[in-house]
Amino acid sequence: MNYNKEYFTGLLRDLILPLKKYYSSEFANLYIGHTGAAYEDCTIPMEGFARVLWGIAPLWAGGGDIDGFSDIYTKGLSAGTNPNSDEYWGEFRNFDQKFVEMAAIAYGLLLAPDKLWEPLDDTAKDNLATFLIGINDYKVSDNNWRMFPVLVNLALKSLSLPYSQDLINFGLERLDSFYLGNGWYKDGATEQRDYYVAFALHFYSLIYAKVCAKEDPARCNLFKKRAAKFAKDYIYWFDEKGRGLVYGRSLTYRFAQAAFWSACIYTDVPVFNLGIIKGILVRHFEEWFSHPIIDNSGVLTIGYRYPNLHMSESYNSPDSPYWSLKTFIVLALPDNHPFWQAEAEPMPKLDNLKVLNEAQMIIQRDSDKVTALTPGRLHYINHVHVSEKYCKFAYSSEFGFSIPRSNKFFNQAAPDSTLSFEIDGYIFTRRLSLKIRVEEDKLFSLWSPFKGIEVETTLIPIEGGHIRRHKITSDYDCNARDAGFAVSCAQGTDCAFSSENNIAIVKNNFSFCSVESTAGGTPDIISFHPNTSLVYQKTFTPLVSYEIKKGVTEIETIVKY
């Protein structure tokens, strides 16, 4: 297949054309669903309007178009920023979700002012400028949000409108304060090292590097050098099939996982060759669109590899998944860019075992999947299912991870890839690590699932899996289960399982996971509640059950996959 510019344009066209019928009468709002989010309901359709710009703006910048959308967006911007319009987006408050969506509008103005700015009449231009500069009078979260005022003020500056250079400088200074080294950032004051490093912090800094290359060459070169370093680690999060590691929050943004690679091409970041990055992008898109991520009307759903509202964040509205369109920044490349003629190449030769110190994980690679061993996290953050997204022992591009329906029954708690404790009819897992240590050949964490229980866990990677060694100090007798990955047992997968001779195994026609006790545990197989896994609707999970006595108990479990 010829993966040329028309191929990528066609993917975008298929994603946004079905939205056309859901715009409001004055086009400022996009209504595609009825579930709520933590912010005001009136902001949700504005979010939908803005997020489409992550895809359509680079298409315009690269000389392309999709019938009718330029007219939709000039009319929508005029109505949404007009205080006298019924579709006015409204006033602001501190930490307003509208600031997130302003970044997409600013992105559009930076990339395609001929489509979004020049067609506006003078009144509409005044209203839009007044609306955008309003972000300067309010607080934003001290994390990746710091870059939203940067983008907005850069857009105002590019149009010779009033702007704040001080806020641009301050946002960039805060970004520098998040830098950890070797290309890695953390997302503000937390210890999170997840996809926000790639599709937010690096993505925005590379836009800055493109826009301000002549004005601020030293900083722009620094951002590109950081991205180049990060790329050499980040590539380990992608497997040979194009799948990204299923880890962290905001996974409903799906193929935004690859937006960093598109931004590297757009900004000429010197890492890998065009064919390797094109291969990552093509395989990533092909993989995603082989799954039911779009509903019967052609709209992206909340979920991961299938619709799943249960895994969503409090800030995920029906419009939120269109953040994924960031990956289409590659469409801003001109028609004669060598990327369009490059062949999609396989992944480069990578180490089978890689320690990512800044990410606090050890990556294992085999022929078709990526697994990350992790020590958990050191700080509380208030996102939903945060323990499941950051604190399991291992994360995989193949198996994903599961999230609980309740903690009252084991099959509802769905604690895959972790050690869980059943106490008084409730299930408890690793929620926070008190101490962690990442070494070249193992990970250590000290954690407490419940008052009176302390666990020292050492994870040791081995060929085809890992060893878990747990030293458990408990004030009372209880039960514990050490579980492997949740394996797909949907219809047609030829799922089979067994539990004997200290080993539990679940396998299908494309994957397997086994769990073996070396310390007297009892093997078992559990079917988790449907739709608890992010990647497979129905799963079975191998595990070993242990009796934990008051005092000190040491157990060892071998997990293969």
Side-chain angles (χ1 to χ4, degrees):
M1 184 173 182
N2 189 3
Y3 298 109
N4 56 17
K5 194 172 189 180
E6 183 52 39
Y7 166 80
F8 288 86
T9 301
L11 292 178
L12 178 64
R13 184 184 296 113
D14 290 345
L15 285 166
I16 68 174
L17 271 180
L19 303 177
K20 210 169 181 180
K21 61 184 177 182
Y22 297 113
Y23 286 89
S24 56
S25 59
E26 294 186 64
F27 303 106
N29 296 301
L30 182 62
Y31 295 91
I32 58 174
H34 303 283
T35 55
Y39 41 89
E40 297 85 351
D41 289 349
C42 61
T43 299
I44 292 174
M46 181 259 189
E47 176 186 23
F49 171 90
R51 293 203 171 186
V52 174
L53 286 168
W54 290 118
I56 195 74
L59 177 67
W60 288 331
D65 203 355
I66 295 176
D67 184 50
F69 273 84
S70 56
D71 192 44
I72 287 173
Y73 275 82
T74 52
K75 289 180 178 178
L77 282 178
S78 297
T81 58
N82 180 3
N84 297 318
S85 169
D86 291 337
E87 298 189 7
Y88 177 54
W89 292 326
E91 302 304 319
F92 306 122
R93 59 172 174 81
N94 289 331
F95 312 110
D96 201 317
Q97 179 68 24
K98 288 191 284 290
F99 301 151
V100 183
E101 315 318 327
M102 274 188 188
I105 295 172
Y107 176 76
L109 292 170
L110 286 167
L111 267 64
D114 57 316
K115 295 289 187 181
L116 290 180
W117 178 255
E118 293 172 12
L120 302 180
D121 62 33
D122 290 343
T123 299
K125 287 179 178 178
D126 289 343
N127 287 337
L128 177 55
T130 299
F131 184 83
L132 290 175
I133 205 169
I135 194 174
N136 294 351
D137 296 326
Y138 295 85
K139 294 179 181 178
V140 299
S141 299
D142 193 34
N143 50 24
N144 68 90
W145 280 43
R146 289 291 184 189
M147 292 299 288
F148 300 151
V150 173
L151 293 177
V152 169
N153 282 281
L154 281 179
L156 293 170
K157 181 180 181 180
S158 72
L159 299 170
S160 300
L161 297 168
Y163 72 98
S164 172
Q165 186 63 46
D166 287 343
L167 278 178
I168 292 174
N169 294 339
F170 181 70
L172 297 175
E173 289 166 4
R174 292 304 298 150
L175 178 65
D176 281 339
S177 75
F178 304 152
Y179 189 63
L180 298 168
N182 291 321
W184 286 85
Y185 294 92
K186 58 180 180 177
D187 191 18
T190 73
E191 290 298 312
Q192 291 169 240
R193 290 89 188 265
D194 53 25
Y195 281 109
Y196 277 83
V197 180
F199 63 46
L201 298 169
H202 273 296
F203 189 87
Y204 303 140
S205 68
L206 289 177
I207 294 172
Y208 182 89
K210 186 73 170 184
V211 171
C212 300
K214 293 182 179 180
E215 178 184 339
D216 190 4
R219 177 176 269 135
C220 293
N221 287 333
L222 176 64
F223 286 156
K224 291 171 69 174
K225 287 180 181 178
R226 288 177 179 175
K229 288 182 180 179
F230 176 71
K232 293 176 182 178
D233 279 355
Y234 188 52
I235 196 169
Y236 279 87
W237 283 30
F238 292 81
D239 67 22
E240 307 293 333
K241 296 180 179 179
R243 300 174 299 188
L245 186 67
V246 190
Y247 174 73
R249 65 187 178 102
S250 295
L251 291 174
T252 197
Y253 299 155
R254 296 186 174 105
F255 43 91
Q257 292 168 341
F260 169 80
W261 301 113
S262 292
C264 284
I265 296 295
Y266 174 66
T267 322
D268 298 319
V269 172
V271 61
F272 306 120
N273 63 46
L274 294 178
I276 288 174
I277 297 180
K278 190 171 192 175
I280 294 172
L281 289 171
V282 166
R283 290 188 296 273
H284 195 65
F285 276 126
E286 299 266 299
E287 169 66 23
W288 273 116
F289 288 108
S290 70
H291 299 294
I293 63 175
I294 293 171
D295 68 17
N296 292 338
S297 64
V299 172
L300 280 173
T301 58
I302 296 173
Y304 195 64
R305 288 195 194 152
Y306 62 92
N308 188 337
L309 186 63
H310 187 58
M311 56 75 67
S312 66
E313 317 291 350
S314 63
Y315 51 80
N316 288 160
S317 80
D319 296 304
S320 297
Y322 288 89
W323 178 283
S324 61
L325 299 185
K326 284 182 168 183
T327 307
F328 287 99
I329 192 174
V330 72
L331 287 173
L333 299 175
D335 294 347
N336 62 355
H337 193 283
F339 176 79
W340 303 122
Q341 285 74 48
E343 294 292 326
E345 297 181 16
M347 294 282 276
K349 177 65 177 176
L350 298 172
D351 297 336
N352 293 333
L353 198 68
K354 176 75 171 179
V355 179
L356 303 183
N357 287 306
E358 285 74 24
Q360 298 176 335
M361 58 176 57
I362 295 177
I363 297 288
Q364 296 173 292
R365 300 185 64 87
D366 61 26
S367 60
D368 61 357
K369 63 182 175 294
V370 172
T371 306
L373 304 182
T374 68
R377 59 195 172 84
L378 292 168
H379 292 91
Y380 277 111
I381 49 177
N382 61 358
H383 302 298
V384 67
H385 299 310
V386 68
S387 298
E388 289 70 32
K389 294 169 182 175
Y390 296 97
C391 292
K392 298 197 176 190
F393 297 149
Y395 293 87
S396 168
S397 64
E398 167 64 61
F399 301 103
F401 61 87
S402 301
I403 50 176
R405 298 297 298 270
S406 81
N407 71 335
K408 294 182 180 179
F409 301 96
F410 184 78
N411 66 338
Q412 294 178 9
D416 58 346
S417 198
T418 194
L419 180 68
S420 61
F421 293 79
E422 185 170 353
I423 303 168
D424 196 24
Y426 289 85
I427 309 300
F428 298 90
T429 60
R430 184 168 72 175
R431 294 171 292 168
L432 194 71
S433 292
L434 305 174
K435 295 180 182 178
I436 67 171
R437 188 169 65 250
V438 180
E439 300 180 13
E440 289 297 315
D441 58 350
K442 60 181 175 290
L443 296 168
F444 169 84
S445 64
L446 173 66
W447 53 284
S448 174
F450 189 80
K451 186 176 181 180
I453 299 178
E454 190 172 82
V455 184
E456 297 173 59
T457 293
T458 301
L459 304 179
I460 304 170
I462 59 175
E463 185 174 357
H466 64 271
I467 297 171
R468 303 174 183 173
R469 292 175 181 160
H470 308 290
K471 181 180 179 181
I472 303 163
T473 304
S474 179
D475 289 347
Y476 34 81
D477 297 345
C478 60
N479 295 319
R481 299 179 179 93
D482 211 356
F485 288 117
V487 179
S488 175
C489 281
Q491 184 175 355
T493 61
D494 299 328
C495 184
F497 43 83
S498 64
S499 57
E500 56 186 6
N501 300 324
N502 296 326
I503 299 176
I505 182 170
V506 182
K507 59 183 178 180
N508 54 33
N509 52 22
F510 57 88
S511 66
F512 85 98
C513 183
S514 68
V515 178
E516 177 183 359
S517 169
T518 66
T522 303
D524 200 0
I525 307 291
I526 295 291
S527 173
F528 287 158
H529 261 229
N531 307 319
T532 49
S533 167
L534 269 66
V535 298
Y536 300 118
Q537 295 93 326
K538 293 183 179 180
T539 60
F540 280 72
T541 302
L543 60 91
V544 178
S545 295
Y546 295 97
E547 291 186 9
I548 306 302
K549 299 297 184 180
K550 182 178 179 179
V552 177
T553 304
E554 295 191 27
I555 60 177
E556 181 180 88
T557 308
I558 301 173
V559 184
K560 293 289 191 73
Y561 30 82

